Amino acid sequence: MEKMSGTFAAAAVAFVLAWSAMPQALAIEPAQAPAVVSSVLVIHAGAGVGRSGLDEESAAAARIALDAALRAGHARLQEGKPALDAVAAAIVVLEDAPQFNAARGAVFTHDGRNELDASVMDGASGKAGAIAGVHRVKNPVLLARAVMEHSRHVMLVGEGAEQFAHEQGVELVDPSYFRTEKRWEELQKALRREADSQAGAGPSATAYFGTVGALALDARGRLAAGTSTGGMVNKRYGRVGDSPIIGAGTWADARCAVSATGWGEFYIRTAAAHDICARVAYAGQTISEAADTVINRIIPAAGGSGGAIVLGADGSMAFPFNTEGMYRGWIGADGVPHVAIFSDDILPLTPDPE
Ligand code: ASP
């Protein structure tokens, strides 16, 4: 007993020291492993959300959609389905919600199209699937999964990917399905800003972000990850960001899973998702430390910004981001969804006491 409380006191002191050493400007919640490891689902819906762009009604609608995504994934885990099923189920709900920049609510390219990217990775088998630059796939995450499970390849792009969708019976829709007025207006604003500055250098503000992602740990201790996006507002036709790049926007292995959101070029250059898990595997960092190092130090030092969700095989999770907000949430075995949006919203990382 004494030994236990000594261990606890040492851990508490270490925690306080580590916490006080953290730069306060950075939004990071400490990872905590639940006492009993059990299935868990973690989601995000983009780190590009700012207070000025979100009225109360939209925030409430976003919370409802996050909640629904968590419940959909949780139901799969409760049925004893593999982690990848939970990831896909949660992402489909987020893709169908017009609030988020993925599938239905995707942003527009410079020339006024919606171009979608997605990927999935199964941590137990190390298999992955990805698609990029599609215009007609209703749920890109399902096509990424079909690439993983029913092709010899990891990534398909453009027309080839859509032809594969047709062969696999993955639902195709008219491109007008992805047109929302809010996103069209965003593009017009971005074009005006670009013309004003005459920079033409592409996106530079977090208002251009948004992406959805999910991670799951199933009852057998297997991890999976998935990410789906419309990319960045005003991106060039043919531009591919980090979301469908395995190791940049998505990663899962036996002990760590990541889905990223942010300025994709920086996540690709730093192999961000893989780097987080490599730090856990080879450098002995905790999920929280590795997530903070890459998202809040390495990426900003390179000139980028954004966030990520990270989940460990012991159930520990981290939600680092360095923007005003990141739609995020998690649900454990008790089936109670927890969601947060802005950096000062508290996201409890342990189940509510009974
Ligand atoms: N990372 C995505 C991209 O660069 C955008 C985002 O996460 O908001 O395509």
Side-chain angles (χ1 to χ4, degrees):
M1 186 65 195
E2 226 171 63
K3 188 166 174 239
M4 269 183 67
S5 51
T7 310
F8 176 78
V13 169
F15 175 79
V16 170
L17 288 175
W19 179 249
S20 55
M22 267 176 204
Q24 293 309 304
L26 302 178
I28 178 157
E29 286 135 357
Q32 294 171 16
V36 178
V37 173
S38 52
S39 62
V40 56
L41 174 78
V42 182
I43 61 169
H44 74 81
V49 52
R51 283 187 194 281
S52 60
L54 197 72
D55 57 40
E56 264 180 36
E57 204 180 310
S58 312
R63 282 176 184 277
I64 289 170
L66 292 169
D67 225 84
L70 287 169
R71 289 182 198 278
H74 175 72
R76 299 302 190 286
L77 292 173
Q78 285 302 100
E79 290 161 11
K81 297 274 165 54
L84 194 59
D85 279 23
V87 163
I91 292 181
V92 163
V93 173
L94 298 172
E95 285 180 336
D96 290 347
Q99 291 89 359
F100 309 126
N101 173 19
R104 177 84 179 94
V107 299
F108 283 91
T109 60
H110 179 79
D111 56 353
R113 310 186 210 199
N114 306 104
E115 219 161 73
L116 316 170
D117 306 332
S119 63
V120 295
M121 187 162 190
D122 177 46
S125 63
K127 287 185 176 170
I131 54 107
V134 299
H135 303 274
R136 297 190 301 137
V137 179
K138 182 169 181 278
N139 291 110
V141 69
L142 299 182
L143 184 56
R145 184 173 184 177
V147 170
M148 179 184 120
E149 291 178 339
H150 304 299
S151 85
R152 291 179 289 122
H153 308 296
V154 168
M155 181 183 255
L156 294 177
V157 305
E159 276 179 34
E162 291 189 352
Q163 188 179 318
F164 182 69
H166 179 68
E167 288 165 21
Q168 291 293 315
V170 173
E171 189 173 354
L172 295 171
V173 290
D174 188 87
S176 61
Y177 167 79
F178 303 107
R179 186 192 161 101
T180 58
E181 281 318 300
K182 175 182 142 194
R183 297 300 186 194
W184 183 251
E185 259 319 301
E186 259 174 34
L187 173 64
Q188 304 317 308
K189 239 194 252 171
L191 292 174
R192 282 197 293 273
R193 225 176 290 149
E194 191 175 80
D196 285 351
S197 71
Q198 292 188 335
S204 62
T206 55
Y208 293 90
F209 299 160
T211 280
V212 308
L215 312 171
L217 173 66
D218 66 27
R220 289 174 55 190
R222 296 168 299 196
L223 288 164
T227 309
S228 178
T229 191
M232 293 175 76
V233 185
N234 194 23
K235 67 182 180 181
R236 208 187 150 94
Y237 167 51
R239 177 266 188 186
V240 175
D242 60 312
S243 306
I245 309 288
I246 299 300
T250 301
W251 183 261
D253 57 36
R255 55 186 122 183
C256 167
V258 178
S259 171
T261 165
W263 193 341
E265 279 70 11
F266 292 92
Y267 284 71
I268 296 173
R269 289 179 194 146
T270 57
H274 180 262
D275 191 20
I276 291 173
C277 292
R279 285 167 184 278
V280 173
Y282 310 127
Q285 290 192 349
T286 63
I287 290 289
S288 179
E289 288 164 352
D292 183 42
T293 305
V294 174
I295 301 302
N296 287 328
R297 296 181 202 281
I298 292 178
I299 287 182
S305 55
I309 50 174
V310 188
L311 179 62
D314 61 355
S316 58
M317 33 186 169
F319 299 79
F321 60 99
N322 45 55
T323 55
E324 249 181 65
M326 179 170 81
Y327 294 114
R328 59 200 188 281
W330 68 278
I331 189 165
D334 64 1
V336 179
H338 304 271
V339 305
I341 301 181
F342 297 108
S343 53
D344 51 3
D345 291 344
I346 303 292
L347 184 66
L349 292 181
T350 46
D352 293 335
E354 302 267 313

